[in-house]
Amino acid sequence: MTFRAAPHLRGLKEFQLRTVHHVFDRFYGDQDGSGRSGRFLVADETGLGKSIVARGVIARTVEHLEAAGRRRITVLYVCSNRDLAQQNIRRLNITGEPQAELNTRLSMLATQGDLLDGGVAVGSASLNLIPLTPATSLQPTKGAWRSGRKEERALLAVILERLTDADETERRAGLTLLRGAAGEESFSREVEHMRQSTRDKPLDRRIIDEFAEAVRASGLQSDFVRMRTDVLRSGARDPSPEAWHALWNLIAHLRRELARAGAKVLEPDLIVLDEFQRFRDLLAAEDEPGSGEDLELAHTLFNHPHAKILLLSATPYTPFTRSGGDDSHQSDFLRTIDFLNRHQPAPRRELTQTLERFRRALIDPTTDADPGEAAQQVREALLPIISRSERPPLTEQTDMVEVLWQEAEAPHAADFHDWIVLRRLGDIVGTHITADYWKSVPHFPTFMEGYAFGDRVRDRIADGEPQLRDLLRRSRRITRRQVDSFGEVDLGHGYLRRMVDQTVDLGWWKMLWLPPSMPYLRPGCVYSDLSEQAPTKRLIFSAWRSVPTAVACLLSYEAHRRAVAELRRSDGSRGEGTAFTSRLGWAVRPDGSPSAMNTLALFWPEPQLARAGDPLSTVREHAGAQPSVDEHLAYTTRRLHQLLDPMPDRVAQPWEAFLGASKTAAAEARTVWLRDAGRQGRETSQNWERHLARAAEDTSQLGWHDDLPVLAAFSPGSIARRCMSRVASDDTDGTVVQRAAWTLSLGLRNLFNRPETARILSALYGAPDPSRPYWRQVADYCADGGLESVLDEYLFQLACDRGPTGTAADQVIDLAERAVTGMSLRPAIYEGHDYTAEDPKVPFSVRYALRYGSHQQSETSDSAAHRLAEVRSSFNSPFAPFVLASTSVGQEGIDFHWWCHRVVHWNLPWNPVDFEQREGRVNRFGGHAVRKNVAHHHGAEALVRDTSSPTNPWYSAFEEAERSPTTHGAFSPWWIYPGPARIQRVLMAYPHSREVPRYEHLRDLLTHYRMTLGQPRQEDMIELLGESDHSTTIDLSPPGR
Amino acid sequence: MADLMGDPPGRRHAVVARQLRDPSKLIELLMVLLDINTAGLLPAGPLGSTGAQGPASAAPTFPGLLETLLQALAADAEGLDEAKKLVEYVMADDEPPHLPPNFLALWEAAWQAHRQHSESEETT
């Protein structure tokens, strides 16, 4: 069976397809490949799906190589961090089968012989898709840890003892040499473990042979043997201090040789360098000064005779350098060009001349060269190595971006006073504090940790300098006592007050999820105001490191405090304590028998009831205006009456009626539970089993309770069941849908079981009582906030993102699990500091607003990467966090568009292109703004469309949108769809500050910078362009239109 | 200024007062006063423009006024006291200038902070 690329290209949009074909043509288009560098840069504007293009290139490459008789095909995917790798590797994987472990270290490749020989079958060949991150894989000696990881040294020990035929004493001496900073015992355990695993799974022969030859030839092996002999002779358990330096050098060299052997054996066919500007130093030429041993590995890979290199980056070089800064744009640009041309001088020379002609055509009044022609020449010179697709530009001139100035109120006297204090503090510790600190960071003294200034203040207070403490007491500091008791905190900052005005004050503290873009029912009293606002999440960017922490702490605190304040106001309770925990338990009597079974009734997905409570049936039956919650309940009641006909007697409890109605489903329920018991196991599982057993053996008769329609229409269980049915394909097994629904429903149970949630519900509905118990409040809230339409929207997005890989069952289970991940974010604790206190820590519990990126932890650490992924998937869900604040780390490559089309520029960037970078995070495929507009135009139609089986209405809405013509061609509807929602560029300013003129200048630069591609002194050039309305642009779109 | 304040109501006085009814002239003068004692700390920026496309584009804005105030506060500049006298003087005029929105709030807050700081400095 041969591999066909066509099925993998089917979902690609027209411009993506043109790019794939152009790249492929540049890689393999003619037989001899003369004049082709085998390197290509796809510089598509951010958010246009470069990884989709890469996937297409991979598919065509595999098809080509397999047809040419290749049996093993290796594709390396290199990207800067693990979070990005996790996000993208799934999209590149054309096999749909699981691929190699993430973060493969080249030095450890020898232990994965199966990785090199295995791979996933693609036709008659096998494909290996291997992710690498430069920091760990390609630059193994970078940084202080020359000795590498314990497991690497253990592997070296095992290999070297074999190469040198070591006896027992020599082995032990070898361990002494290689154990580095690890303890004697732990290292020896690690080596024993390595020996064992290499017996089970032999090391890759080719790598070992390469390594053996290299260490013999370079003398490393004899160095090692000599040192080992020294250790044996001295009998020491540690190498002598004098030997340390030489030893660590030796280890570093051995590790590098091992990594190089791995790199050689990999023999990549295609290397995808994603967002490579993050590791641009890898692109240096071999003979370039400074390109030391660190780059050797990269060159080993890049210069492999078969290797084609595909670079992906929206900003491959600094797109724009301002005058006064370094002129890095042009040098960056040319460096990239050099890499793409394999450092050949001729093409570079020609290109520089072409660019110079273009420049003159634009700004030199003495030339009559035609700018359009000159631009065409630039295109011809670049297209062999670069292409770039762009959306119609996001400018204020078009209607895509909406500029919103958020003017803060004038600073309060106390705000100004804080500034004076801050300056005094700075004077005392010798740090010049500029007004930008004060303008940017709310409560700077509380959040100055991590700045040199903050460290100095802290240290000198610790040294007992009373003046500093007195000064701090004079500022409005935030104390731990205040925070612990949910006291009111003066936000102390104009921008933050504005932010609170625009979120918490608008009732956002009541929100557990954003209102749906395509509501099925009219929102209830809590959500009607919120829906009016058509809110979208906020993505805040600031160049100031403390801003994300300060904003996340204070906004989260404020949201939380409002709920508590509301509780205190309404019932005088303290809003604290254990009264709010675990309200949705599996209650049992002392004898172990289930008592009230409301939780089960609320969360168990009961298919029959779910069908009766389907709001889309109501929408279809209820021609005309959007039905209200009560109207839907009336329809549901009618359908239940039909289901239960003849009308049974009344029962006392709603869950009794539920059990009666679900009698037939209980057996199915039990099967599913037993299958999942191990995975879902929690401490309450025994009680849950009792509930389930009771449900399964239930002998009670059908019964009616007036709350039964509420359960059918609005219980999370019924909702989960309907939502999962709508994304399951027709042939999906019913028990699989049930399992997925149960997974989703348990996620919702966790959401409603949080004390925070219980507090919000009590603030809204009062403390639960027999007339309105907690389970009923939950159902009411789900009805009010349109949970069902929200989940359908979310699942639709997850399904689009995931793509149709795997079996139908995998698909539906995976969707449910991903949705649960999005709603299950653990709250984090961020810290502020009050240095006037004995214990300066002021902990804030945050969930409502979070920061993206770690404050101090190194970004590459596993836990930090994991947390980033977690924060990202939660922000990309309708659930909390509703505000995300980031420094620049969020600017490149990461998606934040799912529920957000509003970017807050907390500070104006220095570089105008940062606007595009930042806004590019939310201006993406199927983003929140696009969905709102599609729903606006096609929602009503999509909701009433009658389908033979349950179908998520978003599919119908986008089908309609795809059919309706707009002026945006291939970018419509998924990237751009006209309508009331736009990408919002929010600018913050104090009255009478310099922000306004600064922005105006930035905007002018932004409008024109594209014309200065590859040019020196870009800002000057734009000024010379002056008022003349040049519209000449350099078109780099792939050919073939 | 001293002259100005001490003058009996006269021709010169009237001319000055009339001049300062133009808000941009007044603010420009204020900024000069505030800036004198912090000379060199401030980068020269565009002074009051009435056409800047700001948050409320209809109202005149004076970009840089806030930054000037901040610098003066930080430097504990004597210009603050002079500026205070000037503002009081023009506001006491029969026809006080139509000051841009937020200006008085901004000014009052800054002045209060300045006083509060001076007082706490004195008590310590």
Side-chain angles (χ1 to χ4, degrees):
Chain A
M1 196 179 74
T2 48
F3 176 82
R4 290 265 161 260
H8 298 282
L9 301 176
R10 214 163 279 150
L12 269 64
K13 311 293 175 207
E14 182 254 3
F15 70 93
Q16 294 169 333
L17 213 49
R18 274 192 286 131
T19 313
V20 170
H21 295 327
H22 180 57
V23 175
F24 180 79
D25 182 56
R26 296 304 306 166
F27 282 172
Y28 300 103
D30 53 3
Q31 288 306 311
D32 65 347
S34 61
R36 296 184 181 204
S37 69
R39 299 178 175 185
F40 196 90
L41 163 64
V42 173
D44 287 4
E45 198 186 352
T46 163
L48 291 187
K50 284 182 286 294
S51 28
I52 305 291
V53 169
R55 179 189 165 93
V57 172
I58 292 174
R60 285 210 62 186
T61 301
V62 168
E63 180 183 60
H64 173 78
L65 293 177
E66 194 234 16
R70 188 73 67 76
R71 288 294 157 262
R72 195 187 106 190
I73 302 168
T74 303
V75 176
L76 302 184
Y77 174 70
V78 184
C79 79
S80 63
N81 71 60
R82 298 188 55 189
D83 187 30
L84 206 59
Q86 281 177 20
Q87 178 186 291
N88 288 339
I89 202 86
R90 248 186 1 245
R91 297 181 187 162
L92 298 184
N93 189 355
I94 52 173
T95 66
E97 299 291 319
Q99 283 276 358
E101 279 280 295
L102 286 182
N103 212 27
T104 311
R105 282 166 184 270
L106 290 177
S107 51
M108 296 303 290
L109 215 53
T111 60
Q112 304 189 24
D114 56 335
L115 178 78
L116 297 177
D117 294 324
V120 177
V122 280
S124 58
S126 68
L127 171 67
N128 266 312
L129 181 58
I130 303 174
L132 297 176
T133 53
T136 46
S137 308
L138 295 181
Q139 295 162 304
T141 56
K142 216 170 189 172
W145 300 103
R146 291 188 303 157
S147 62
R149 286 154 70 131
K150 195 161 68 174
E151 49 163 9
E152 283 176 289
R153 295 194 307 276
L155 176 59
L156 281 173
V158 171
I159 297 174
L160 284 166
E161 61 196 28
R162 288 188 197 168
L163 291 183
T164 58
D165 281 327
D167 61 24
E168 190 50 37
T169 49
E170 285 168 333
R171 285 179 178 204
R172 271 202 300 275
L175 260 53
T176 306
L177 286 179
L178 292 170
R179 76 177 158 91
E184 203 174 323
E185 218 168 286
S186 104
F187 189 63
S188 120
R189 262 202 313 275
E190 184 78 30
V191 172
E192 193 37 56
H193 176 71
M194 187 60 78
R195 286 193 193 114
Q196 183 59 45
S197 65
T198 58
R199 272 194 290 273
D200 298 345
K201 192 165 102 182
L203 294 171
D204 187 275
R205 200 64 251 163
R206 289 155 301 180
I207 297 181
I208 301 307
D209 289 349
E210 281 282 348
F211 176 75
E213 200 183 311
V215 292
R216 256 176 231 133
S218 61
L220 284 173
Q221 185 174 324
S222 30
D223 288 351
F224 175 74
V225 171
R226 201 183 49 249
M227 285 196 200
R228 193 171 66 188
T229 315
D230 288 348
V231 169
L232 276 176
R233 205 171 292 146
S234 71
R237 303 180 66 170
D238 289 304
S240 65
E242 310 84 66
W244 268 114
H245 180 68
L247 178 58
W248 285 58
N249 257 339
L250 178 73
I251 294 178
H253 282 112
L254 287 168
R255 287 177 56 231
R256 187 178 319 115
E257 285 305 340
L258 190 54
R260 185 156 49 192
K264 264 194 170 161
V265 170
L266 267 183
E267 301 184 334
D269 297 286
L270 177 63
I271 304 176
V272 181
L273 300 179
D274 199 355
E275 299 290 348
F276 72 89
Q277 73 281 3
R278 289 290 188 89
F279 36 94
R280 203 180 274 138
D281 47 343
L282 293 183
L283 307 191
E286 266 165 291
D287 51 2
E288 210 168 293
S291 103
E293 292 165 331
D294 276 348
L295 294 183
E296 221 180 275
L297 279 181
H299 288 137
T300 307
L301 291 173
F302 294 169
N303 294 334
H304 187 271
H306 296 145
K308 309 289 182 199
I309 303 183
L310 175 62
L311 288 81
L312 307 174
S313 172
T315 46
Y317 24 75
T318 315
F320 184 78
T321 2
R322 299 200 47 188
S323 45
D326 54 346
D327 208 356
S328 57
H329 165 71
Q330 195 194 25
S331 57
D332 256 23
F333 173 78
L334 291 174
R335 198 175 156 84
T336 309
I337 297 294
D338 283 344
F339 178 81
L340 292 167
N341 284 321
R342 290 182 176 269
H343 303 279
Q344 297 298 310
R348 175 190 181 137
R349 214 167 30 239
E350 281 161 36
L351 178 66
T352 351
Q353 286 161 1
T354 311
L355 286 168
E356 176 56 25
R357 278 198 297 277
F358 177 63
R359 181 187 181 90
R360 282 216 308 277
L362 284 178
I363 62 173
D364 182 354
T366 64
T367 171
D368 51 5
D370 174 34
E373 245 168 65
Q376 179 62 26
Q377 285 165 2
V378 176
R379 171 177 167 84
E380 281 159 20
L382 285 175
L383 213 51
I385 46 171
I386 300 181
S387 75
R388 177 173 171 93
S389 298
E390 291 180 0
R391 269 164 293 206
L394 262 185
T395 65
E396 292 182 48
Q397 279 74 43
T398 69
D399 56 0
M400 298 310 154
V401 77
E402 182 179 10
V403 177
L404 299 172
W405 276 100
Q406 298 274 301
E407 194 183 61
E409 57 180 313
H412 301 178
D415 302 353
F416 277 127
H417 189 256
D418 283 351
W419 155 247
I420 302 175
V421 171
L422 198 57
R423 277 290 289 250
R424 290 290 173 280
L425 284 170
D427 292 345
I428 295 174
V429 301
T431 306
H432 180 64
I433 303 287
T434 65
D436 284 330
Y437 282 89
W438 174 86
K439 275 198 217 166
S440 308
V441 191
H443 282 279
F444 188 62
T446 306
F447 298 103
M448 63 191 170
E449 179 92 348
Y451 286 90
F453 167 71
D455 297 346
R456 285 184 198 168
V457 172
R458 182 196 55 210
D459 293 347
R460 290 181 57 171
I461 286 182
D463 290 346
E465 199 161 309
Q467 199 188 0
L468 286 172
R469 202 180 286 249
D470 289 345
L471 264 176
L472 276 177
R473 286 213 178 97
R474 261 195 255 158
S475 74
R476 272 167 313 176
R477 62 194 205 288
I478 301 174
T479 64
R480 173 150 195 175
R481 180 192 297 216
Q482 232 175 339
V483 171
D484 286 351
S485 64
F486 293 112
E488 199 165 337
V489 166
D490 183 340
L491 297 167
H493 191 262
Y495 295 180
L496 190 63
R497 289 189 189 109
R498 193 81 174 119
M499 185 53 84
V500 169
D501 275 357
Q502 298 283 313
T503 55
V504 181
D505 281 352
L506 292 176
W508 283 34
W509 63 269
K510 304 172 192 168
M511 224 163 45
L512 293 181
W513 53 75
L514 282 190
S517 309
M518 188 160 68
Y520 305 156
L521 305 174
R522 282 209 296 279
C525 57
V526 175
Y527 266 78
S528 61
D529 284 352
L530 290 166
S531 305
E532 261 328 83
Q533 303 162 27
T536 189
K537 292 188 176 186
R538 267 59 162 156
L539 181 60
I540 300 178
F541 282 108
S542 168
W544 294 80
R545 198 156 20 112
S546 280
V547 168
T549 310
V551 169
C553 285
L554 294 169
L555 269 180
S556 291
Y557 178 76
E558 196 54 23
H560 204 146
R561 193 187 67 79
R562 290 306 164 91
V564 174
E566 188 57 34
L567 276 174
R568 289 177 182 167
R569 199 186 57 77
S570 60
D571 66 358
S573 74
R574 296 182 58 231
E576 297 159 60
T578 53
F580 297 98
T581 51
S582 301
R583 287 187 169 175
L584 296 166
W586 314 112
V588 287
R589 295 195 186 91
D591 68 356
S593 66
S595 51
M597 294 177 72
N598 292 323
T599 307
L600 179 118
L602 194 60
F603 291 99
W604 186 252
E606 207 299 298
Q608 299 231 53
L609 287 181
R611 228 175 343 263
D614 189 342
L616 289 176
S617 307
T618 300
V619 171
R620 280 191 289 270
E621 286 171 44
H622 186 84
Q626 197 172 36
S628 68
V629 165
D630 287 341
E631 281 164 335
H632 176 44
L633 280 175
Y635 280 94
T636 303
T637 307
R638 208 169 310 150
R639 286 193 288 262
L640 281 172
H641 284 169
Q642 283 163 11
L643 181 73
L644 300 176
D645 189 51
M647 184 68 169
D649 292 339
R650 283 177 183 275
V651 288
Q653 294 295 332
W655 52 268
E656 291 171 316
F658 176 88
L659 289 182
S662 68
K663 264 174 79 180
T664 49
E668 184 189 16
R670 189 165 174 76
T671 330
V672 176
W673 166 250
L674 291 178
R675 193 185 317 156
D676 290 351
R679 196 164 51 82
Q680 309 278 12
R682 292 153 210 264
E683 54 171 83
T684 53
S685 62
Q686 208 188 351
N687 287 348
W688 154 249
E689 288 227 54
R690 286 171 175 154
H691 276 245
L692 189 75
R694 163 90 169 80
E697 77 197 17
D698 182 45
T699 50
S700 66
Q701 299 301 309
L702 290 181
W704 178 260
H705 190 284
D706 286 345
D707 280 340
L708 193 61
V710 175
L711 288 172
F714 299 120
S715 78
S718 300
I719 291 174
R721 171 72 202 197
R722 288 190 292 267
C723 290
M724 292 320 303
S725 315
R726 293 189 191 116
V727 283
S729 57
D730 296 350
D731 51 356
T732 315
D733 186 58
T735 57
V736 171
V737 176
Q738 181 67 2
R739 206 169 103 208
W742 176 230
T743 302
L744 181 60
S745 186
L746 278 183
L748 292 164
R749 175 173 171 259
N750 283 346
L751 175 72
F752 282 105
N753 221 6
R754 288 180 194 153
E756 259 164 271
T757 307
R759 207 175 272 134
I760 292 174
L761 264 55
S762 289
L764 295 171
Y765 303 132
D769 59 30
S771 72
R772 204 180 196 184
Y774 190 62
W775 77 263
R776 180 60 202 255
Q777 294 187 346
V778 169
D780 287 348
Y781 191 92
C782 294
D784 190 301
L787 176 66
E788 184 158 349
S789 22
V790 170
L791 283 178
D792 273 344
E793 188 172 353
Y794 185 34
L795 288 165
F796 167 74
Q797 257 183 324
L798 288 168
C800 290
D801 180 62
R802 189 186 182 278
T805 47
T807 64
D810 289 346
Q811 158 106 0
V812 72
I813 296 286
D814 188 39
L815 286 178
E817 280 170 359
R818 288 224 239 161
V820 171
T821 307
M823 66 180 80
S824 306
L825 182 77
R826 296 164 298 154
I829 302 289
Y830 295 170
E831 266 173 15
H833 291 87
D834 169 16
Y835 290 115
T836 67
E838 200 64 36
D839 174 6
K841 284 188 185 131
V842 183
F844 289 86
S845 168
V846 291
R847 177 146 43 199
Y848 175 91
L850 293 179
R851 66 177 178 231
Y852 184 76
S854 168
H855 194 53
Q856 279 159 338
Q857 256 176 323
S858 124
E859 249 178 77
T860 48
S861 83
D862 285 2
S863 63
H866 180 72
R867 179 70 188 173
L868 282 187
E870 211 176 64
V871 169
R872 180 166 51 79
S873 55
S874 300
F875 188 71
N876 285 336
S877 83
F879 306 95
F882 300 111
V883 179
L884 193 66
S886 175
T887 56
S888 62
V889 66
Q891 285 182 31
E892 285 161 9
I894 300 278
D895 302 349
F896 288 122
H897 59 299
W898 291 29
W899 293 86
C900 171
H901 58 88
R902 186 178 180 105
V903 173
V904 179
H905 302 275
W906 196 263
N907 313 97
L908 289 177
W910 159 256
N911 195 320
V913 181
D914 283 359
F915 283 113
E916 289 185 347
Q917 282 285 317
R918 294 169 172 187
E919 287 155 17
R921 305 292 101 235
V922 304
N923 185 26
R924 296 168 94 89
F925 188 86
H928 200 199
V930 169
R931 288 202 316 279
K932 281 179 176 176
N933 291 342
V934 166
H936 176 80
H937 290 292
H938 309 289
E941 216 174 323
L943 290 184
V944 296
R945 185 192 274 193
D946 214 348
T947 48
S948 54
S949 58
T951 309
N952 186 310
W954 280 96
Y955 287 105
S956 317
F958 269 87
E959 275 164 29
E960 287 298 328
E962 275 174 343
R963 272 197 289 274
S964 89
T966 73
T967 52
H968 304 297
F971 298 109
S972 167
W974 292 96
W975 283 273
I976 294 176
Y977 206 72
R982 293 191 271 166
I983 300 298
Q984 297 173 329
R985 171 185 299 167
V986 176
L987 304 164
M988 309 295 297
Y990 278 109
H992 308 295
S993 71
R994 282 192 213 284
E995 263 64 34
V996 175
R998 270 194 59 209
Y999 172 68
E1000 284 169 356
H1001 184 60
L1002 285 168
R1003 188 192 49 199
D1004 290 346
L1005 298 178
L1006 184 61
T1007 316
H1008 290 112
Y1009 87 93
R1010 281 191 176 77
M1011 296 164 76
T1012 65
L1013 177 74
Q1015 304 286 355
R1017 304 180 302 283
Q1018 291 169 293
E1019 191 166 357
D1020 299 350
M1021 181 172 164
I1022 291 176
E1023 259 149 43
L1024 286 171
L1025 285 166
E1027 299 303 308
S1028 62
D1029 182 30
H1030 286 292
S1031 51
T1032 320
T1033 50
I1034 298 170
D1035 173 14
L1036 291 178
S1037 61
R1041 202 192 313 250
Chain B
M1 278 306 287
D3 274 352
L4 190 74
M5 309 306 287
D7 256 2
R11 207 173 87 85
R12 192 164 141 228
H13 185 157
V15 168
V16 172
R18 201 167 336 128
Q19 286 283 321
L20 292 182
R21 276 176 204 153
D22 174 349
S24 43
K25 291 228 168 82
L26 170 66
I27 305 270
E28 209 165 316
L29 177 57
L30 266 177
M31 285 171 73
V32 170
L33 283 176
L34 291 171
D35 203 12
I36 280 175
N37 298 301
T38 60
L41 282 178
L42 267 183
L47 271 185
S49 75
T50 44
Q53 288 290 312
S57 56
T61 65
F62 297 89
L65 175 62
L66 174 74
E67 288 80 359
T68 310
L69 266 176
L70 288 170
Q71 290 298 345
L73 285 170
D76 206 2
E78 285 164 30
L80 278 166
D81 299 296
E82 310 260 329
K84 168 76 173 161
K85 287 179 205 160
L86 177 65
V87 172
E88 277 174 356
Y89 171 72
V90 295
M91 292 316 286
D93 193 52
D94 304 338
E95 281 179 63
H98 291 289
L99 288 167
N102 275 330
F103 167 76
L104 278 184
L106 193 69
W107 167 254
E108 287 298 336
W111 177 252
Q112 261 189 52
H114 174 64
R115 252 194 16 214
Q116 188 190 341
H117 177 68
S118 310
E119 282 165 11
S120 51
E121 289 286 272
E122 278 162 23
T123 55
T124 49

